[in-house]
Amino acid sequence: MKHDVIVIGGGSAGYAAARVAAAAGAGVAIVDRGPLGGLCILRGCMPSKAILRSAEVAALMRRAGEFGLHPVEVGADLGAIISRKERLIREFAEYRIGQLRAPEFTLYEEQARFLSPREVRVGDQVLQANSFIIATGSLPRHIPFPGLDEAGYLTSDQALELRRQPDSLLVLGGGSVAVEFAQFFNRIGTRVILVQRHHHILSWTDEDLARPVEEQFREESMEVFTGTQIHRFAHQGDLKTVHFSHAGQEKSASAELILQALGRRPCIDGLGLEQAGVRVEHGRIVVDARMCTSQPHIFAVGDVNGLHEIVHIAIQQGVVAGHNAARPEEETRQVDERLDAQVVFTDPQVASVGLSEKACQAEDIPYLVASYPFADHGKAMCLGEIHGLVKLLCRPDTGELIGAHITGPEAAELIHELIAVMYFRGTVRDLLRMPHYHPTLAEIATYPAEELAGQLERRV
Ligand SMILES: Cc1cc2nc3c(=O)[nH]c(=O)nc-3n(C[C@H](O)[C@H](O)[C@H](O)COP(=O)(O)OP(=O)(O)OC[C@H]3O[C@@H](n4cnc5c(N)ncnc54)[C@H](O)[C@@H]3O)c2cc1C
């Protein structure tokens, strides 16, 4: 059987690629070994955000007295939280499965394996295509710390299925998944200890954006150890223990369960990439800005290329590859990384678009920077949400916004105004001229913009 385009993997990236390739007139097959739905819906973004909402509500309820309300006793029922999540996920997954089974695609619910650059084995059939798009996602990374496998641990996959709440939880890692789960369990009443190697959590961002989250965690009685070196794990009875160095001392911490959230790796096992002649480096498929692999007719999008593990970027990559695979005769499209954005759904949230100070310094990119704290912002004070800041970076010559970062209330929503300004290559002066309703959280962005406009004026 021959198709124009075969997409391997029907998650966010694969579905986007298939949709665009079919719309461009190609005969498209999707191969997915299941369960159908993709990581975002089944075990990623949506389930994690569903359970985080319960923790958010619990945290607000505990603050009743602060707002002149009678204090309430807050208890969590993890089983009920997970059931709510499952109801929502079932609905989202059914919708996605309906999309995958649409008549414009041929869906094979099988494992795919390349036999050669132009053939894949799918169940007991061999399929051929003019182009292939690999979108097989990622898996939790295995880290061989001494004693960790013997002690036993959960990944985010299993943490999303837990119905009995642990008394205590050791969270390994300080990335988005680690910190979101750490705050969730801590807020529903589990004693949480977070152990992170980098000297601050969320190591990809600037330190001043991560610290308010750490402060909030500590205010909520979470134990947070940053700048650690883990040596080994041990287990005895119901307790699992990590031994590590921290601030020049040997320390240990014990808990009932361990959540290993030390990252994911591209899912390329058993894909037959050698037979396909697709180059893999450090466990990830190498792609260029067209999402093209070392084989000009094979593309790789989403988590499997290891560039980002973020859904809207996976979709953008899928859209680009879908076009390039279906219309090889047309000018190829490329992914534009200028507007790469990332959000962490802790409280306070962290949201970023474009360049950080860290990135500018590493790449020698000139910039001006200004920031403004939520603690000084009237609307944030009314809401009682004063942790965090807004930080803007602009070009020193034109004032074009090149990076925007928010740690604070509703950062995930607020960042979109700044993405829009950057999309249109707006300047900090544009941001100042745009009307902002008062009193809103959004108007906070005008304060660092004003400071940057002043800095620009003083430079001429
Ligand atoms: C706990 C958690 C929370 C997250 N939260 C967010 C968030 O809030 N926002 C955000 O942007 N991102 C978030 N992410 C990341 C996001 O979920 C992923 O970046 C995204 O879902 C990856 O999509 P994908 O299409 O690349 O892969 P997937 O959705 O994993 O799709 C891969 C598909 O390929 C199939 N497959 C694999 N191998 C084969 C094979 N050999 N043959 C056939 N089929 C195969 C699988 O069955 C699967 O359906 C989160 C991730 C986790 C783990």
Side-chain angles (χ1 to χ4, degrees):
M1 182 76 181
K2 184 160 183 190
H3 299 275
D4 295 333
V5 178
I6 293 180
V7 180
I8 306 174
S12 305
Y15 174 67
R19 184 175 47 78
V20 169
V28 177
I30 301 174
V31 187
D32 196 302
R33 65 184 175 194
L36 295 181
L39 178 66
C40 169
I41 292 174
L42 300 176
R43 299 178 314 279
C45 330
M46 301 312 280
S48 57
K49 268 76 261 182
I51 65 168
L52 276 172
R53 181 67 180 149
S54 301
E56 243 169 56
V57 174
L60 257 186
M61 286 169 72
R62 282 194 194 100
R63 293 175 60 193
E66 192 184 322
F67 297 97
L69 306 170
H70 294 302
V72 282
E73 190 69 34
V74 184
D77 174 349
L78 185 56
I81 294 173
I82 297 299
S83 296
R84 173 178 180 270
K85 178 255 326 180
E86 281 178 357
R87 276 196 306 279
L88 288 165
I89 293 327
R90 207 170 305 127
E91 203 175 306
F92 303 148
E94 275 166 16
Y95 186 72
R96 170 51 52 84
I97 292 167
Q99 290 175 316
L100 292 171
R101 294 202 169 126
E104 59 263 42
F105 310 124
T106 309
L107 177 65
Y108 297 90
E109 293 185 47
E110 300 278 1
Q111 169 100 11
R113 179 185 177 82
F114 281 96
L115 299 175
S116 73
R118 299 224 176 240
E119 287 173 316
V120 282
R121 174 169 291 286
V122 169
D124 50 17
Q125 302 184 61
V126 175
L127 306 181
Q128 296 175 332
N130 298 327
S131 308
F132 295 85
I133 300 174
I134 304 169
T136 49
S138 59
L139 297 167
R141 196 185 312 155
H142 176 257
I143 312 274
F145 282 123
L148 180 57
D149 286 347
E150 294 79 358
Y153 61 85
L154 311 171
T155 64
S156 58
D157 289 359
Q158 291 100 38
L160 284 167
E161 303 296 323
L162 271 188
R163 286 181 169 271
R164 194 189 66 75
Q165 186 179 339
D167 290 334
S168 50
L169 180 70
L170 257 173
V171 176
L172 309 180
S176 309
V177 172
V179 294
E180 289 181 7
F181 277 82
Q183 193 173 40
F184 166 74
F185 278 102
N186 197 57
R187 284 184 155 185
I188 65 165
T190 292
R191 185 172 69 83
V192 173
I193 307 138
L194 184 138
V195 180
Q196 146 83 339
R197 186 176 57 176
H198 196 78
H199 70 281
H200 62 78
I201 59 168
L202 304 174
S203 59
W204 49 269
T205 192
D206 292 337
E207 183 171 348
D208 54 351
L209 295 157
R211 290 291 184 209
V213 184
E214 286 180 13
E215 279 161 26
Q216 175 79 33
F217 282 5
R218 291 194 173 103
E219 265 178 35
E220 294 178 357
S221 305
M222 191 192 301
E223 279 184 84
V224 180
F225 295 97
T226 53
T228 66
Q229 196 190 345
I230 291 179
H231 300 309
R232 65 188 174 87
F233 290 82
H235 63 290
Q236 197 171 30
D238 287 343
L239 278 190
K240 303 170 196 298
T241 302
V242 57
H243 296 272
F244 59 99
S245 8
H246 175 249
Q249 291 181 341
E250 295 307 307
K251 294 187 179 164
S252 66
S254 300
E256 187 185 333
L257 292 178
I258 296 174
L259 172 64
Q260 194 271 67
L262 293 163
R264 299 178 67 87
R265 66 172 179 87
C267 174
I268 54 172
D269 310 359
L271 259 181
L273 294 177
E274 256 178 54
Q275 285 80 347
V278 168
R279 198 161 104 232
V280 173
E281 265 175 22
H282 307 295
R284 69 175 197 89
I285 299 179
V286 181
V287 288
D288 60 20
R290 300 167 300 156
M291 298 295 111
C292 195
T293 67
S294 53
Q295 288 282 11
H297 66 292
I298 304 182
F299 301 81
V301 292
D303 284 9
V304 77
N305 64 33
L307 294 176
H308 306 276
E309 285 168 8
I310 295 174
V311 165
H312 75 276
I313 298 180
I315 293 171
Q316 280 169 13
Q317 294 179 350
V319 167
V320 165
H323 172 87
N324 292 342
R327 295 276 176 89
E329 69 289 355
E330 283 184 15
E331 200 182 321
T332 52
R333 293 194 182 158
Q334 302 203 351
V335 169
D336 177 6
E337 300 212 325
R338 189 176 65 90
L339 295 177
D340 276 359
Q342 186 158 359
V343 170
V344 185
F345 292 87
T346 42
D347 173 14
Q349 296 178 347
V350 182
S352 285
V353 56
L355 294 168
S356 61
E357 274 196 275
K358 222 178 225 177
C360 287
Q361 286 160 8
E363 291 165 40
D364 249 343
I365 299 170
Y367 66 96
L368 296 179
V369 63
S371 57
Y372 196 87
F374 278 98
D376 257 1
H377 183 49
K379 182 61 190 288
M381 290 156 83
C382 293
L383 295 175
E385 303 292 347
I386 54 166
H387 283 285
L389 68 156
V390 172
K391 175 163 151 181
L392 303 181
L393 280 72
C394 73
R395 281 178 57 153
D397 49 354
T398 61
E400 181 183 334
L401 199 60
I402 54 172
H405 309 272
I406 307 173
T407 297
E410 303 297 344
E413 306 297 331
L414 295 177
I415 198 71
H416 288 86
E417 175 192 8
L418 302 166
I419 293 177
V421 171
M422 283 180 59
Y423 177 85
F424 290 108
R425 295 196 178 273
T427 66
V428 290
R429 295 187 189 99
D430 291 320
L431 193 52
L432 265 182
R433 277 186 223 116
M434 288 161 50
H436 285 78
Y437 208 92
H438 174 75
T440 59
L441 289 172
E443 63 184 338
I444 192 174
T446 60
Y447 306 138
E450 196 170 2
E451 192 191 319
L452 286 170
Q455 289 186 31
L456 287 164
E457 225 154 82
R458 288 193 290 280
R459 289 173 69 88
V460 287

